[in-house]
Amino acid sequence: MTTRTSPRAPHGPLGPAPARCLVLCLVSTAATGAGLLLPAALGRTLDLLLAQAPATRWVLYCAALVLLVALFDAAETVLGGTVDARTTAWLRRRLTGHVLAVGPRATARFGPGDLVARLVGNAAQAGTAPTARAALLAALAGPVGAVVALGLVSPWLAAVFLAGAPVLALLLRAFARDTRECVTRYQEVQGRIAQALSEAVGGHRTIRAAGTEDRETARILRPLPDLSEAGHRMWQVQGRASGQSVAVAPLLQLAVVAVAGVLLARHRVTVGEVLAASRYAVLATGVGVLVGQLAGLARARAAAGRLDEVLAESPVGHGERRLPPGPGRLELRGVTALRGGRAVLDGVDLVVPGGTTLAVVGRSGSGKSLLAAVAGRLAEPDAGEVLLDGVPLRELTHDALRRSIGYAFERPALLGGTVEEEIGLALGSPSPARVREAARTAHADDFVRRLPHGYDTLVADAPRSGGESQRLGLARAFAHGGRLLILDDALSSLDTVTEARIAEALVNGGAGGTRLLVAHRTATAARADAVAWLDGGRVRAVGPHEELWRAAEYRAVFGSGPEGADRWDGGPS
């Protein structure tokens, strides 16, 4: 039975270390608590000094509270930076692993540039969410505690403040709503610019050849006015909220101080309590602090929402079965695969006997590469199933699937290690002997030995042609081994002599197992045990190359005319 993984996209990052987040909250709240105690201590000290009573102990209390506030602030800064860094790293690891698990669907939906923007910029912003929450909690604790303290001084002072508090609450609510909207818009435009830049970097040779650098620059930067508008909107929202709070907060503070003065005149409060009340009024109306904290949390939540969109994409599920002993028999049953609403593969039925080599040929757009992807479960069919030695690929465990199927591509991805590490990439503990044997099979050993440090040369420092890169990709596939080896146009950049030698090794079992080759040259098709001729997403015919060659339409696949003037390497038409 196949098990499916359905990731739950959290509403904002929870963070990798809840204990640190809890400590951060406690430290932030403790700093706020110490700050709330300080006005009361100062007021009591003032009353004692005015009464000419001993006040040394209370002066020490005030000094201790000031020191505590400084210590808590320093600890909050250190903890906040640590939590931000750890949460950001955790989010990036999670997002990277998820994107790789989802596979090409993630790139198709979001685009590589936008994915990078989410992984780099949005993950860093979302990583500040735990710290922003802790800071907001402390910022809220300040006004709430200040109102309570006003009530302890005199219920009338708390009542005066609470009369105007709903106005502040409405201002903060509107600010939080408007900020999230404009921040989300800003981050979306950033993603569009990153995607356009990624496309231009990928096609830099075409752009230079066409001489369209200025046009591409304009295309990449076309969303800048939208970015500027969203940025100005953010500042307008924050500025308006700050301006409104500046207009309302002083009125509340003045009202509290005025009532405190009346109470002082009636001997209901002391001078020290008036001092404390004035400080608590300032703390209770600390909307400016709340505005800043809300803005930071809004940015973090908007970024977390963009990460959630990626995490909502379901990764490829795997089963729990393992392969029984077998020769590597590959079978496609009624496989249909859609791309852009079009059936690129349409009801394909195909059997590749174990230990044989099947070449897949067809015109451009006939579905060859998609068939190669589906055959090794790099892509999912929309209908039908693929079996290896009688087991549906979707029922295999991840390890069983990837150990059993090796791939080589037209443009192999060489990820930056040494040549030896790149060839042994899929092996848990690659041995030098196995790596070198695979390189010899791929006819890569000679040019690798000529590199500055041989197999220990970094790929980035290894000058190589397109054909040499393909040979390294082939060597990686040969080192991987497995029951099924799929070559998706992996011989296209090789010279004819090297291609013939590698094709001969494949056919004679030098690579082991069953081989599926996407082929464009007659020589490769001729050496295979059989050829599957794709036409319009369907298998038009399967048979030996020399038999299919009799059909003019088959010869046309290789660029031969209807008269059969071009002949395949190895026999007459």
Side-chain angles (χ1 to χ4, degrees), residues 518-542:
V518 173
H520 290 85
R521 295 177 181 172
T522 56
T524 305
R527 289 184 172 87
D529 297 306
V531 176
W533 175 12
L534 283 186
D535 188 11
R538 294 176 177 269
V539 177
R540 181 164 177 175
V542 178

Side-chain angles (χ1 to χ4, degrees), residues 316-387:
V316 175
H318 296 279
E320 299 177 354
R321 294 183 64 179
R322 298 188 179 276
L323 284 173
R329 184 177 188 269
L330 176 67
E331 184 177 0
L332 282 71
R333 296 179 180 173
V335 168
T336 296
L338 306 176
R339 291 296 183 271
R342 181 177 70 90
V344 180
L345 296 177
D346 188 6
V348 172
D349 292 305
L350 188 64
V351 176
V352 186
T356 64
T357 300
L358 177 74
V360 179
V361 305
R363 293 182 181 275
S364 177
S366 60
K368 302 184 297 298
S369 289
L370 184 54
L371 186 146
V374 168
R377 212 181 174 212
L378 293 184
E380 295 289 331
D382 293 279
E385 62 180 355
V386 182
L387 300 90

